[in-house]
Every structure is written in C-alpha cells, then in structure tokens.
Coordinates of all heavy atoms in Angstrom, one line a residue:
M9 N 0.8 -1.2 0.0 CA 0.0 0.0 0.0 C 0.9 1.3 0.0 O 0.3 2.3 -0.3 CB -0.9 0.0 1.2 CG -2.1 -0.9 1.1 SD -3.2 -0.3 -0.2 CE -4.1 -1.8 -0.5
D10 N 2.1 1.2 0.3 CA 3.0 2.3 0.3 C 3.1 2.9 -1.1 O 3.2 4.2 -1.2 CB 4.4 2.0 0.9 CG 4.3 1.8 2.4 OD1 3.4 2.3 3.0 OD2 5.2 1.1 2.9
T11 N 3.1 2.1 -2.1 CA 3.2 2.6 -3.5 C 1.9 3.3 -3.9 O 2.0 4.3 -4.6 CB 3.6 1.5 -4.5 OG1 2.5 0.5 -4.4 CG2 4.9 0.9 -4.2
L12 N 0.8 2.9 -3.4 CA -0.5 3.5 -3.7 C -0.7 4.8 -2.9 O -1.1 5.8 -3.5 CB -1.6 2.5 -3.4 CG -3.0 3.0 -3.6 CD1 -3.3 3.2 -5.1 CD2 -4.0 2.0 -3.1
C13 N -0.4 4.8 -1.6 CA -0.7 5.9 -0.8 C 0.5 6.8 -0.6 O 0.3 7.9 0.0 CB -1.2 5.4 0.6 SG -2.6 4.4 0.4
G14 N 1.7 6.4 -0.9 CA 2.9 7.2 -0.6 C 3.4 6.8 0.7 O 2.8 6.2 1.6
S15 N 4.6 7.2 0.9 CA 5.3 6.9 2.2 C 6.0 8.1 2.7 O 6.2 9.1 2.0 CB 6.2 5.7 2.0 OG 7.3 6.1 1.1
G16 N 6.4 8.1 3.9 CA 7.1 9.2 4.5 C 6.1 10.2 5.1 O 5.0 9.9 5.5
E17 N 6.5 11.4 5.1 CA 5.8 12.5 5.8 C 4.5 12.9 5.1 O 3.5 13.2 5.7 CB 6.7 13.7 5.9 CG 6.2 14.7 6.9 CD 7.2 15.8 7.2 OE1 8.4 15.4 7.6 OE2 6.9 16.9 7.0
L18 N 4.5 12.9 3.7 CA 3.3 13.3 3.0 C 2.3 12.2 2.7 O 1.2 12.4 2.3 CB 3.8 13.9 1.6 CG 4.6 15.2 1.7 CD1 5.0 15.6 0.4 CD2 3.8 16.3 2.5
G19 N 2.7 11.0 2.9 CA 1.8 9.8 2.6 C 0.9 9.6 3.8 O 1.0 10.1 4.9
S20 N -0.1 8.8 3.6 CA -1.1 8.5 4.6 C -1.3 7.0 4.6 O -1.1 6.3 3.6 CB -2.4 9.2 4.4 OG -3.1 8.8 3.3
K21 N -1.9 6.5 5.7 CA -2.2 5.1 5.7 C -3.5 4.8 4.9 O -4.3 5.7 4.7 CB -2.5 4.6 7.2 CG -1.3 4.7 8.1 CD -1.8 4.2 9.5 CE -0.7 4.2 10.4 NZ -1.1 3.8 11.8
F22 N -3.6 3.6 4.4 CA -4.8 3.2 3.7 C -6.0 3.2 4.6 O -7.1 3.6 4.3 CB -4.6 1.9 2.9 CG -5.8 1.5 2.1 CD1 -6.1 2.1 0.9 CD2 -6.7 0.5 2.5 CE1 -7.2 1.8 0.2 CE2 -7.8 0.1 1.8 CZ -8.0 0.8 0.6
W23 N -5.8 2.6 5.8 CA -6.9 2.5 6.8 C -6.3 2.7 8.1 O -5.3 2.1 8.5 CB -7.5 1.1 6.7 CG -8.7 0.9 7.6 CD1 -8.7 0.3 8.8 CD2 -10.0 1.4 7.5 NE1 -9.9 0.3 9.4 CE2 -10.7 1.1 8.6 CE3 -10.6 2.2 6.5 CZ2 -12.0 1.4 8.8 CZ3 -11.9 2.6 6.7 CH2 -12.6 2.1 7.9
D24 N -7.0 3.6 8.9 CA -6.6 3.9 10.3 C -7.8 3.8 11.1 O -8.7 4.7 11.1 CB -5.9 5.3 10.3 CG -5.3 5.6 11.7 OD1 -5.3 4.7 12.5 OD2 -4.9 6.7 11.9
S25 N -7.9 2.7 11.9 CA -9.1 2.5 12.7 C -9.2 3.6 13.8 O -10.3 3.9 14.3 CB -9.1 1.1 13.4 OG -8.0 0.9 14.2
N26 N -8.1 4.2 14.3 CA -8.2 5.2 15.3 C -8.8 6.5 14.7 O -9.4 7.3 15.4 CB -6.8 5.6 15.8 CG -6.2 4.4 16.6 OD1 -6.9 3.7 17.3 ND2 -4.9 4.2 16.5
L27 N -8.7 6.7 13.4 CA -9.2 7.9 12.8 C -10.7 7.7 12.4 O -11.5 8.6 12.4 CB -8.4 8.2 11.5 CG -8.8 9.5 10.7 CD1 -8.6 10.7 11.6 CD2 -8.0 9.5 9.5
S28 N -11.1 6.4 12.1 CA -12.4 6.2 11.5 C -13.4 5.5 12.5 O -14.6 5.7 12.4 CB -12.3 5.3 10.2 OG -11.6 4.2 10.5
V29 N -12.9 4.7 13.4 CA -13.8 3.9 14.2 C -13.7 4.3 15.7 O -14.8 4.6 16.3 CB -13.4 2.4 14.1 CG1 -14.4 1.6 15.0 CG2 -13.5 1.9 12.7
H30 N -12.6 4.4 16.2 CA -12.4 4.7 17.7 C -12.3 6.2 17.9 O -11.3 6.7 18.5 CB -11.2 4.0 18.2 CG -11.2 2.5 18.0 ND1 -12.1 1.7 18.5 CD2 -10.4 1.7 17.2 CE1 -11.9 0.4 18.1 NE2 -10.9 0.5 17.3
T31 N -13.3 7.0 17.5 CA -13.3 8.4 17.7 C -14.7 9.0 17.7 O -15.6 8.3 17.3 CB -12.4 9.1 16.6 OG1 -12.4 10.5 16.9 CG2 -13.1 8.9 15.2
D32 N -14.8 10.2 18.3 CA -16.2 10.8 18.3 C -16.5 11.5 16.9 O -17.7 11.7 16.6 CB -16.2 11.9 19.4 CG -16.1 11.2 20.8 OD1 -16.5 10.0 20.9 OD2 -15.6 11.9 21.7
N33 N -15.5 11.8 16.2 CA -15.7 12.5 14.9 C -15.0 11.6 13.8 O -13.9 11.8 13.4 CB -15.1 13.9 14.9 CG -15.4 14.6 13.7 OD1 -16.2 14.3 12.9 ND2 -14.7 15.8 13.5
P34 N -15.7 10.6 13.3 CA -15.1 9.6 12.4 C -14.8 10.3 11.0 O -15.5 11.1 10.5 CB -16.1 8.5 12.2 CG -17.4 9.1 12.6 CD -17.1 10.2 13.6
D35 N -13.7 9.9 10.4 CA -13.3 10.3 9.1 C -12.5 9.2 8.4 O -12.1 8.3 9.1 CB -12.4 11.6 9.2 CG -12.3 12.3 7.9 OD1 -13.0 12.0 7.0 OD2 -11.5 13.2 7.8
L36 N -12.4 9.3 7.1 CA -11.6 8.3 6.4 C -10.3 8.9 6.0 O -10.2 10.1 5.8 CB -12.4 7.8 5.1 CG -13.7 7.1 5.4 CD1 -14.5 7.0 4.1 CD2 -13.5 5.8 6.1
T37 N -9.3 8.1 5.9 CA -8.0 8.6 5.5 C -8.0 9.1 4.1 O -8.8 8.7 3.2 CB -6.9 7.5 5.6 OG1 -7.2 6.5 4.7 CG2 -6.8 7.0 7.0
P38 N -7.2 10.1 3.7 CA -7.1 10.6 2.4 C -6.8 9.6 1.3 O -7.3 9.6 0.2 CB -6.0 11.7 2.4 CG -6.0 12.1 3.8 CD -6.3 10.9 4.6
C39 N -5.9 8.6 1.7 CA -5.6 7.6 0.7 C -6.8 6.7 0.4 O -7.0 6.3 -0.7 CB -4.5 6.7 1.3 SG -4.0 5.4 0.2
F40 N -7.6 6.4 1.4 CA -8.8 5.6 1.2 C -9.8 6.3 0.4 O -10.4 5.8 -0.5 CB -9.4 5.2 2.6 CG -10.6 4.3 2.6 CD1 -10.3 2.9 2.5 CD2 -11.9 4.8 2.5 CE1 -11.4 2.0 2.5 CE2 -12.9 3.9 2.5 CZ -12.7 2.5 2.4
Q41 N -10.0 7.6 0.6 CA -10.9 8.4 -0.1 C -10.5 8.6 -1.6 O -11.3 8.5 -2.5 CB -11.0 9.8 0.5 CG -11.7 9.8 1.8 CD -11.7 11.2 2.4 OE1 -11.3 12.2 1.8 NE2 -12.2 11.3 3.7
N42 N -9.2 8.8 -1.8 CA -8.7 9.0 -3.2 C -8.5 7.7 -4.0 O -8.4 7.8 -5.2 CB -7.4 9.8 -3.1 CG -7.6 11.2 -2.6 OD1 -8.6 11.8 -2.7 ND2 -6.5 11.7 -2.0
S43 N -8.5 6.6 -3.3 CA -8.3 5.3 -4.1 C -9.6 4.5 -4.1 O -10.2 4.5 -5.2 CB -7.1 4.5 -3.5 OG -7.4 4.2 -2.1
L44 N -10.0 4.0 -3.1 CA -11.1 3.1 -3.1 C -12.5 3.8 -3.4 O -13.2 3.4 -4.3 CB -11.3 2.4 -1.7 CG -12.3 1.2 -1.7 CD1 -11.7 0.0 -2.5 CD2 -12.6 0.8 -0.3
L45 N -12.7 4.9 -2.7 CA -14.0 5.6 -3.0 C -14.0 6.3 -4.3 O -15.1 6.5 -4.9 CB -14.2 6.7 -1.9 CG -14.4 6.2 -0.5 CD1 -14.7 7.3 0.5 CD2 -15.6 5.2 -0.4
A46 N -12.9 6.5 -5.0 CA -12.9 7.1 -6.3 C -13.0 6.0 -7.4 O -13.6 6.2 -8.4 CB -11.7 8.0 -6.5
W47 N -12.3 4.9 -7.2 CA -12.2 3.9 -8.2 C -13.3 2.9 -8.3 O -13.6 2.3 -9.3 CB -10.9 3.2 -8.1 CG -9.8 4.1 -8.7 CD1 -8.9 4.8 -7.9 CD2 -9.5 4.4 -10.0 NE1 -8.1 5.5 -8.7 CE2 -8.4 5.3 -10.0 CE3 -10.0 3.9 -11.2 CZ2 -7.8 5.7 -11.2 CZ3 -9.4 4.4 -12.4 CH2 -8.4 5.3 -12.4
V48 N -14.0 2.6 -7.2 CA -15.0 1.5 -7.1 C -16.2 1.9 -8.0 O -16.7 1.1 -8.8 CB -15.4 1.2 -5.7 CG1 -16.7 0.4 -5.7 CG2 -14.3 0.4 -5.0
P49 N -16.7 3.1 -8.0 CA -17.9 3.5 -8.9 C -17.4 3.4 -10.3 O -18.2 2.9 -11.2 CB -18.2 4.9 -8.5 CG -17.8 5.0 -7.1 CD -16.5 4.2 -7.0
C50 N -16.2 3.8 -10.6 CA -15.7 3.8 -12.0 C -15.6 2.3 -12.5 O -16.1 2.0 -13.6 CB -14.4 4.5 -12.1 SG -13.7 4.6 -13.7
I51 N -15.1 1.5 -11.7 CA -15.0 0.1 -12.1 C -16.3 -0.6 -12.3 O -16.6 -1.3 -13.2 CB -14.1 -0.7 -11.1 CG1 -12.7 -0.2 -11.1 CG2 -14.2 -2.2 -11.2 CD1 -11.8 -0.7 -10.0
Y52 N -17.3 -0.2 -11.4 CA -18.6 -0.8 -11.5 C -19.3 -0.4 -12.8 O -19.9 -1.2 -13.5 CB -19.5 -0.3 -10.3 CG -20.9 -0.6 -10.5 CD1 -21.4 -1.9 -10.3 CD2 -21.8 0.4 -10.8 CE1 -22.7 -2.2 -10.5 CE2 -23.2 0.1 -11.0 CZ -23.6 -1.2 -10.8 OH -24.9 -1.5 -11.0
L53 N -19.1 0.9 -13.2 CA -19.7 1.3 -14.4 C -19.1 0.6 -15.6 O -19.9 0.3 -16.6 CB -19.6 2.9 -14.5 CG -20.5 3.7 -13.6 CD1 -20.2 5.1 -13.7 CD2 -22.0 3.4 -13.8
W54 N -17.8 0.4 -15.6 CA -17.2 -0.2 -16.8 C -17.6 -1.7 -16.8 O -17.7 -2.3 -17.9 CB -15.7 -0.1 -16.7 CG -15.2 1.2 -17.2 CD1 -14.7 2.3 -16.5 CD2 -15.1 1.6 -18.6 NE1 -14.4 3.3 -17.4 CE2 -14.6 2.9 -18.7 CE3 -15.5 0.9 -19.8 CZ2 -14.5 3.6 -19.8 CZ3 -15.3 1.6 -21.0 CH2 -14.8 2.9 -21.0
V55 N -17.8 -2.3 -15.7 CA -18.2 -3.7 -15.7 C -19.7 -3.9 -16.1 O -20.0 -4.8 -16.8 CB -18.0 -4.4 -14.3 CG1 -18.7 -5.7 -14.1 CG2 -16.5 -4.5 -14.0
A56 N -20.5 -2.9 -15.7 CA -21.9 -3.0 -16.0 C -22.2 -2.6 -17.5 O -23.3 -2.9 -18.0 CB -22.7 -2.1 -15.1
L57 N -21.3 -1.8 -18.1 CA -21.6 -1.3 -19.4 C -21.9 -2.4 -20.5 O -22.8 -2.3 -21.2 CB -20.4 -0.4 -19.9 CG -20.5 0.2 -21.3 CD1 -21.6 1.2 -21.3 CD2 -19.2 0.8 -21.7
P58 N -21.1 -3.5 -20.6 CA -21.4 -4.5 -21.6 C -22.8 -5.1 -21.4 O -23.5 -5.4 -22.4 CB -20.3 -5.6 -21.4 CG -19.2 -4.9 -20.8 CD -19.8 -3.8 -19.9
C59 N -23.2 -5.4 -20.1 CA -24.5 -5.9 -19.9 C -25.6 -4.9 -20.3 O -26.6 -5.3 -20.9 CB -24.7 -6.2 -18.4 SG -23.5 -7.4 -17.8
Y60 N -25.4 -3.7 -20.0 CA -26.4 -2.7 -20.4 C -26.5 -2.5 -21.9 O -27.6 -2.4 -22.5 CB -26.1 -1.3 -19.8 CG -27.1 -0.3 -20.0 CD1 -28.4 -0.4 -19.6 CD2 -26.7 0.9 -20.7 CE1 -29.4 0.6 -19.9 CE2 -27.7 1.9 -21.0 CZ -29.0 1.7 -20.6 OH -29.9 2.7 -20.9
L61 N -25.3 -2.6 -22.6 CA -25.4 -2.5 -24.1 C -26.0 -3.7 -24.7 O -26.8 -3.5 -25.7 CB -23.9 -2.3 -24.6 CG -23.3 -1.0 -24.3 CD1 -21.8 -1.0 -24.8 CD2 -24.0 0.2 -24.9
L62 N -25.8 -4.9 -24.2 CA -26.6 -6.0 -24.7 C -28.1 -5.9 -24.4 O -28.9 -6.3 -25.3 CB -26.0 -7.3 -24.0 CG -24.7 -7.8 -24.5 CD1 -24.2 -9.0 -23.6 CD2 -24.8 -8.2 -25.9
Y63 N -28.5 -5.4 -23.3 CA -29.9 -5.2 -23.0 C -30.5 -4.2 -24.0 O -31.6 -4.4 -24.6 CB -30.0 -4.6 -21.6 CG -31.4 -4.2 -21.3 CD1 -32.4 -5.1 -21.0 CD2 -31.8 -2.8 -21.3 CE1 -33.7 -4.7 -20.8 CE2 -33.0 -2.4 -21.1 CZ -34.0 -3.3 -20.8 OH -35.3 -2.9 -20.6
L64 N -29.8 -3.1 -24.3 CA -30.3 -2.1 -25.3 C -30.4 -2.7 -26.7 O -31.3 -2.4 -27.4 CB -29.4 -0.9 -25.3 CG -29.5 0.0 -24.1 CD1 -28.5 1.2 -24.2 CD2 -30.9 0.5 -23.8
R65 N -29.4 -3.5 -27.0 CA -29.4 -4.1 -28.4 C -30.6 -5.1 -28.6 O -31.2 -5.1 -29.7 CB -28.1 -4.8 -28.6 CG -28.0 -5.5 -30.0 CD -26.7 -6.2 -30.1 NE -26.6 -6.9 -31.4 CZ -25.8 -6.5 -32.4 NH1 -25.0 -5.5 -32.3 NH2 -25.9 -7.2 -33.5
Y66 N -30.9 -5.9 -27.6 CA -31.9 -6.9 -27.8 C -33.3 -6.5 -27.4 O -34.3 -7.2 -27.7 CB -31.5 -8.2 -27.1 CG -30.3 -8.8 -27.8 CD1 -29.1 -8.9 -27.1 CD2 -30.4 -9.3 -29.1 CE1 -28.0 -9.5 -27.7 CE2 -29.3 -9.9 -29.7 CZ -28.1 -10.0 -29.0 OH -27.0 -10.5 -29.6
H67 N -33.5 -5.4 -26.7 CA -34.8 -5.0 -26.3 C -35.3 -3.8 -27.1 O -36.5 -3.5 -27.1 CB -34.8 -4.7 -24.8 CG -34.8 -5.9 -24.0 ND1 -33.6 -6.5 -23.6 CD2 -35.8 -6.7 -23.5 CE1 -33.9 -7.6 -22.9 NE2 -35.2 -7.7 -22.8
G68 N -34.4 -3.0 -27.7 CA -34.8 -1.9 -28.6 C -35.6 -0.8 -27.9 O -36.2 0.0 -28.6
R69 N -35.5 -0.7 -26.6 CA -36.2 0.4 -25.9 C -35.2 1.3 -25.2 O -35.5 1.8 -24.1 CB -37.2 -0.1 -24.9 CG -38.4 -0.8 -25.6 CD -39.3 -1.4 -24.6 NE -38.5 -2.5 -23.9 CZ -39.0 -3.3 -23.0 NH1 -40.3 -3.2 -22.6 NH2 -38.3 -4.2 -22.4
G70 N -34.1 1.6 -25.8 CA -33.1 2.3 -25.2 C -33.2 3.8 -25.3 O -32.5 4.6 -24.6
Y71 N -34.1 4.3 -26.1 CA -34.3 5.7 -26.2 C -35.4 6.3 -25.3 O -36.3 5.5 -24.9 CB -34.6 6.1 -27.7 CG -35.9 5.4 -28.2 CD1 -37.1 6.1 -28.1 CD2 -35.9 4.2 -28.8 CE1 -38.3 5.5 -28.6 CE2 -37.0 3.6 -29.2 CZ -38.2 4.3 -29.1 OH -39.4 3.7 -29.6
I72 N -35.3 7.5 -25.0 CA -36.3 8.2 -24.2 C -37.2 9.1 -25.1 O -36.7 9.9 -25.8 CB -35.6 9.0 -23.1 CG1 -34.7 8.2 -22.2 CG2 -36.6 9.8 -22.3 CD1 -33.9 8.9 -21.3
I73 N -38.5 8.9 -25.0 CA -39.4 9.7 -25.8 C -39.6 11.0 -25.0 O -40.1 11.0 -23.9 CB -40.7 9.0 -26.0 CG1 -40.5 7.7 -26.8 CG2 -41.7 9.8 -26.7 CD1 -41.7 6.8 -26.9
L74 N -39.3 12.1 -25.7 CA -39.5 13.4 -25.1 C -40.6 14.2 -25.7 O -40.7 14.3 -26.9 CB -38.2 14.2 -25.3 CG -36.9 13.7 -24.6 CD1 -35.7 14.6 -25.0 CD2 -37.1 13.7 -23.1
S75 N -41.5 14.8 -24.9 CA -42.5 15.6 -25.4 C -42.0 17.0 -25.7 O -40.8 17.3 -25.3 CB -43.7 15.7 -24.3 OG -43.2 16.4 -23.2
H76 N -42.8 17.9 -26.3 CA -42.3 19.2 -26.6 C -42.1 20.0 -25.3 O -41.1 20.8 -25.2 CB -43.3 19.9 -27.5 CG -43.4 19.4 -28.8 ND1 -42.4 19.4 -29.7 CD2 -44.4 18.7 -29.4 CE1 -42.7 18.8 -30.8 NE2 -44.0 18.4 -30.7
L77 N -42.9 19.8 -24.3 CA -42.7 20.5 -23.0 C -41.4 20.1 -22.3 O -40.7 20.9 -21.8 CB -43.9 20.2 -22.1 CG -43.9 20.9 -20.7 CD1 -43.9 22.4 -20.9 CD2 -45.1 20.4 -19.9
S78 N -41.1 18.8 -22.3 CA -39.9 18.3 -21.7 C -38.6 18.9 -22.4 O -37.6 19.2 -21.8 CB -39.8 16.8 -21.5 OG -39.8 16.2 -22.8
R79 N -38.7 19.0 -23.7 CA -37.6 19.5 -24.5 C -37.4 21.0 -24.2 O -36.3 21.5 -24.0 CB -37.9 19.3 -26.0 CG -37.7 17.9 -26.4 CD -38.0 17.8 -27.9 NE -38.0 16.4 -28.3 CZ -38.3 15.9 -29.4 NH1 -38.7 16.7 -30.4 NH2 -38.3 14.6 -29.7
L80 N -38.5 21.7 -24.1 CA -38.5 23.1 -23.7 C -37.9 23.3 -22.3 O -37.0 24.2 -22.1 CB -39.9 23.8 -23.8 CG -40.0 25.2 -23.4 CD1 -39.2 26.1 -24.4 CD2 -41.4 25.6 -23.2
K81 N -38.2 22.5 -21.4 CA -37.7 22.6 -20.0 C -36.2 22.3 -20.0 O -35.4 22.9 -19.3 CB -38.4 21.7 -19.1 CG -39.8 22.1 -18.7 CD -40.5 21.1 -17.8 CE -41.9 21.5 -17.4 NZ -42.5 20.5 -16.5
T82 N -35.8 21.3 -20.8 CA -34.4 20.9 -20.9 C -33.5 22.0 -21.5 O -32.4 22.3 -21.0 CB -34.2 19.6 -21.7 OG1 -35.0 18.6 -21.1 CG2 -32.8 19.2 -21.8
V83 N -34.1 22.7 -22.5 CA -33.3 23.8 -23.1 C -33.3 25.0 -22.3 O -32.3 25.7 -22.1 CB -33.9 24.1 -24.5 CG1 -33.3 25.3 -25.1 CG2 -33.7 22.9 -25.4
S84 N -34.4 25.3 -21.6 CA -34.5 26.6 -20.8 C -33.9 26.5 -19.4 O -33.6 27.5 -18.8 CB -35.9 27.1 -20.8 OG -36.7 26.1 -20.1
G85 N -33.8 25.3 -18.9 CA -33.3 25.1 -17.5 C -31.9 25.7 -17.2 O -31.7 26.4 -16.3
P86 N -30.9 25.3 -18.1 CA -29.6 25.9 -17.8 C -29.5 27.4 -17.9 O -28.8 28.1 -17.1 CB -28.7 25.3 -18.9 CG -29.3 24.0 -19.2 CD -30.8 24.3 -19.1
G87 N -30.3 28.0 -18.8 CA -30.3 29.5 -18.9 C -30.9 30.1 -17.7 O -30.5 31.1 -17.2
I88 N -32.0 29.5 -17.2 CA -32.6 30.1 -16.0 C -31.7 29.9 -14.8 O -31.6 30.8 -14.0 CB -34.0 29.4 -15.7 CG1 -35.0 29.8 -16.8 CG2 -34.6 29.7 -14.4 CD1 -36.3 29.0 -16.8
S89 N -31.1 28.8 -14.6 CA -30.2 28.6 -13.5 C -29.0 29.5 -13.6 O -28.5 30.0 -12.5 CB -29.8 27.1 -13.3 OG -29.0 26.8 -14.5
Y90 N -28.5 29.8 -14.8 CA -27.4 30.7 -14.9 C -27.8 32.1 -14.5 O -27.1 32.8 -13.8 CB -26.9 30.7 -16.4 CG -25.9 31.8 -16.6 CD1 -24.5 31.6 -16.2 CD2 -26.2 32.9 -17.3 CE1 -23.6 32.5 -16.4 CE2 -25.2 33.9 -17.5 CZ -23.9 33.7 -17.1 OH -23.0 34.7 -17.3
R91 N -29.0 32.5 -14.9 CA -29.5 33.8 -14.6 C -29.7 34.0 -13.1 O -29.3 35.0 -12.5 CB -30.9 34.0 -15.3 CG -31.5 35.3 -15.0 CD -30.8 36.5 -15.7 NE -31.6 37.7 -15.4 CZ -31.2 38.8 -15.7 NH1 -30.1 39.0 -16.3 NH2 -32.0 39.9 -15.5
W92 N -30.3 33.0 -12.4 CA -30.5 33.0 -11.0 C -29.1 33.0 -10.3 O -28.9 33.7 -9.3 CB -31.3 31.9 -10.5 CG -32.8 32.2 -10.6 CD1 -33.6 31.8 -11.5 CD2 -33.5 33.0 -9.7 NE1 -34.9 32.3 -11.2 CE2 -34.8 33.1 -10.1 CE3 -33.2 33.8 -8.5 CZ2 -35.8 33.8 -9.5 CZ3 -34.2 34.5 -7.9 CH2 -35.5 34.5 -8.4
G93 N -28.2 32.3 -10.7 CA -26.9 32.2 -10.1 C -26.2 33.6 -10.2 O -25.5 34.1 -9.3
W94 N -26.3 34.2 -11.4 CA -25.7 35.5 -11.6 C -26.4 36.6 -10.7 O -25.7 37.4 -10.0 CB -25.9 35.9 -13.1 CG -25.3 37.2 -13.4 CD1 -24.0 37.5 -13.7 CD2 -26.0 38.5 -13.5 NE1 -23.9 38.8 -14.0 CE2 -25.1 39.5 -13.9 CE3 -27.4 38.8 -13.4 CZ2 -25.5 40.8 -14.1 CZ3 -27.7 40.1 -13.6 CH2 -26.8 41.1 -14.0
A95 N -27.7 36.5 -10.6 CA -28.4 37.5 -9.7 C -28.0 37.3 -8.3 O -27.8 38.3 -7.5 CB -29.9 37.4 -9.9
L96 N -28.0 36.1 -7.8 CA -27.7 35.8 -6.4 C -26.2 36.2 -6.1 O -25.9 36.6 -5.0 CB -27.9 34.3 -6.1 CG -29.4 33.9 -6.0 CD1 -29.5 32.5 -5.8 CD2 -30.1 34.7 -5.0
G97 N -25.3 36.0 -7.1 CA -23.9 36.4 -6.9 C -23.8 37.9 -6.7 O -23.0 38.4 -5.9
I98 N -24.5 38.6 -7.5 CA -24.5 40.1 -7.4 C -25.0 40.5 -6.0 O -24.5 41.4 -5.4 CB -25.3 40.8 -8.5 CG1 -24.7 40.5 -9.9 CG2 -25.5 42.3 -8.3 CD1 -23.3 41.1 -10.0
L99 N -26.2 39.9 -5.6 CA -26.7 40.3 -4.3 C -25.7 39.9 -3.2 O -25.6 40.7 -2.2 CB -28.0 39.5 -4.1 CG -29.2 40.0 -4.8 CD1 -30.4 39.1 -4.6 CD2 -29.6 41.5 -4.4
F100 N -25.1 38.8 -3.3 CA -24.1 38.4 -2.3 C -22.9 39.4 -2.2 O -22.5 39.8 -1.1 CB -23.6 37.0 -2.6 CG -22.5 36.5 -1.6 CD1 -22.9 36.1 -0.3 CD2 -21.2 36.5 -2.0 CE1 -22.0 35.7 0.6 CE2 -20.2 36.1 -1.1 CZ -20.6 35.7 0.2
L101 N -22.5 39.9 -3.4 CA -21.4 40.9 -3.4 C -21.8 42.2 -2.7 O -21.0 42.8 -2.0 CB -20.9 41.1 -4.8 CG -20.1 40.0 -5.4 CD1 -19.8 40.3 -6.9 CD2 -18.8 39.7 -4.6
F102 N -23.0 42.6 -3.0 CA -23.5 43.9 -2.5 C -23.8 43.9 -1.0 O -23.6 44.8 -0.3 CB -24.7 44.4 -3.2 CG -24.3 45.0 -4.6 CD1 -24.9 44.6 -5.7 CD2 -23.3 46.0 -4.7 CE1 -24.6 45.1 -6.9 CE2 -23.0 46.5 -5.9 CZ -23.6 46.1 -7.0
F103 N -24.3 42.8 -0.5 CA -24.8 42.7 0.9 C -23.8 42.0 1.8 O -24.0 41.8 3.0 CB -26.1 42.0 1.0 CG -27.2 42.9 0.4 CD1 -27.8 42.5 -0.8 CD2 -27.6 44.1 1.0 CE1 -28.8 43.3 -1.3 CE2 -28.6 44.9 0.5 CZ -29.2 44.5 -0.7
N104 N -22.6 41.7 1.3 CA -21.6 41.0 2.2 C -20.6 42.0 2.7 O -20.0 42.8 2.2 CB -21.0 39.9 1.4 CG -20.1 39.0 2.3 OD1 -20.1 39.2 3.5 ND2 -19.5 38.0 1.8

C-alpha cells in the first residue's frame, strides 16, 4: 500500500481505525478516499456497461421519448439557473 498511498511524511495510511472507528468524529484517510472511494464506482460502471449495451441491443427500448414540453424545459433550464446564479452572486457581493 505504500506505493499506492505514498510513504514518508506526505503519505497516509490506507486504513486507520483510530481515525475512523475509535473516535467521536469519524473520518476516512485521504488515501482511502482518493483510491477506493474514487475507483469503485468507475470500475462498477465499466463492468456493467457490456450488460447494459446487450440489453439495449436486444430490447430496442433504449431511447427516451421526449414531449415538446420536456424539450423546452431541458433547453431553458440551464439558462434560468445561470440567470439566478448571476443575480444571487450580485446580491451576495453587495450585501456581504
């Protein structure tokens, strides 16, 4: 695990039970967060992809039927959220 997490002063342990279990404020080590928690979802998606592609190929219902209203909401949503974010940012700058 030293090659994965580093060694020496800047490295961290892969698992430290004193940091995660035997404490009032549990936390995970940075090595555990950056390795296992980052890579497991990615590996799961790559493993599940061939099964999902086979399902789409043989069932033929892989597309989503969109109505005109749902297309309008999809197109206008980012613009509205950008506008609200810009307005709230200006208010935050003036009142902070």
Side-chain angles (χ1 to χ4, degrees):
M9 283 296 163
D10 287 338
T11 59
L12 179 66
C13 302
S15 61
E17 196 171 302
L18 297 176
S20 69
K21 294 181 180 178
F22 182 75
W23 182 257
D24 187 6
S25 60
N26 292 327
L27 183 65
S28 57
V29 179
H30 306 294
T31 183
D32 293 333
N33 187 12
D35 196 10
L36 297 171
T37 62
C39 179
F40 187 84
Q41 291 176 8
N42 293 333
S43 59
L44 190 75
L45 293 182
W47 284 100
V48 166
C50 182
I51 292 169
Y52 169 75
L53 290 174
W54 278 105
V55 168
L57 179 67
C59 299
Y60 183 63
L61 290 176
L62 283 172
Y63 171 78
L64 290 179
R65 180 180 174 111
Y66 291 114
H67 287 87
R69 292 176 293 186
Y71 60 91
I72 300 171
I73 299 172
L74 298 175
S75 67
H76 293 295
L77 180 62
S78 64
R79 289 180 186 172
L80 178 67
K81 288 179 180 180
T82 302
V83 170
S84 63
I88 291 171
S89 64
Y90 174 76
R91 176 75 176 170
W92 273 102
W94 181 79
L96 291 174
I98 296 296
L99 286 175
F100 178 74
L101 287 176
F102 282 128
F103 291 110
N104 191 1

